[in-house]
Amino acid sequence: MNRQGDIGEIAEPQLRDLYLYWDGKRDGRPYPARSDIDPAEIKKLLPFVMLVDVLAEGRHFRFRLIGTDVALGVNPTGKLQHEALPEGIYRDHISALFRRGAAGPGALYSRSSYGYTQIEGPRSVSRLFMPLSLDGKSVDMMLIGQTADRQGPGGPSTWLANPPTVTEELEIRLP
């Protein structure tokens, strides 16, 4: 489903900067540890960041931290993914993305388009999944960057009440 790519294919400067930060923290290892990530070093990127626990060998995910730009009026901090997202096509899409992101190797960049019928919401969301590992091998957390192309009025998102249709535009694996 995904192909090999390079950092030049990441269109969003926030996600490129986050990838370069994560890559620099690897220090020759496949993945950095959570303790290698210092929020003070990426302060301007924090609104676009999520930290997610990877549980049950990548089958379940718990939201640990959600940046203000990512939250869109919804705060799933502390919840498991399947508790926080409505059943259906959107949850299936996000769950599959998270599983592929946690699987490695390297980081996963994804850009998806969303279609809403009765509400305003982001039309395109780009995500960058960067695995973290306490032992440098087994993924136990992910640093995720996310940006959204929003159209229409601002304010809290109502996507929970009316999930969108989903079209994946691009998915690449970065070293």
Side-chain angles (χ1 to χ4, degrees):
M1 179 133 191
N2 57 53
R3 62 175 175 76
Q4 283 297 117
D6 63 61
I7 191 169
E9 293 185 77
I10 299 175
E12 304 77 14
Q14 303 93 330
L15 299 186
R16 271 194 314 271
D17 289 349
L18 196 57
Y19 175 80
L20 290 170
Y21 177 78
W22 173 83
D23 189 45
K25 293 295 183 176
R26 291 197 285 179
D27 196 29
R29 301 170 291 177
Y31 309 114
R34 163 60 185 98
S35 60
D36 295 322
I37 307 302
D38 182 354
E41 295 175 344
I42 55 171
K43 196 170 187 176
K44 69 178 181 145
L45 300 175
L46 291 178
F48 309 100
V49 166
M50 285 187 273
L51 276 177
V52 175
D53 291 320
V54 176
L55 309 169
E57 298 176 347
R59 291 187 306 276
H60 297 287
F61 304 92
R62 180 183 302 115
F63 295 101
R64 182 176 283 226
L65 173 121
I66 305 291
T68 55
D69 195 75
V70 175
L72 294 174
V74 177
N75 186 358
T77 301
K79 292 183 181 176
L80 293 171
Q81 187 181 64
H82 68 274
E83 297 170 336
L85 301 177
E87 272 190 62
I89 193 167
Y90 181 74
R91 182 168 83 183
D92 294 346
H93 164 71
I94 295 299
S95 295
L97 270 177
F98 275 53
R99 283 192 303 273
R100 290 192 302 270
L108 181 70
Y109 173 69
S110 170
R111 188 169 45 237
S112 303
S113 293
Y114 297 95
Y116 295 86
T117 56
Q118 300 172 3
I119 61 169
E120 292 298 325
R123 298 300 177 216
S124 177
V125 177
S126 295
R127 297 176 181 92
L128 181 62
F129 299 86
M130 296 157 288
L132 303 173
S133 173
L134 189 59
D135 66 8
K137 298 174 188 161
S138 303
V139 175
D140 51 30
M141 188 176 278
M142 282 191 293
L143 174 65
I144 302 171
Q146 179 175 303
T147 63
D149 174 23
R150 297 182 182 92
Q151 298 175 356
S157 175
T158 55
W159 62 266
L160 285 171
N162 188 2
T165 59
V166 179
T167 305
E168 287 187 53
E169 294 179 348
L170 175 68
E171 188 171 294
I172 58 172
R173 182 70 62 184
L174 300 162

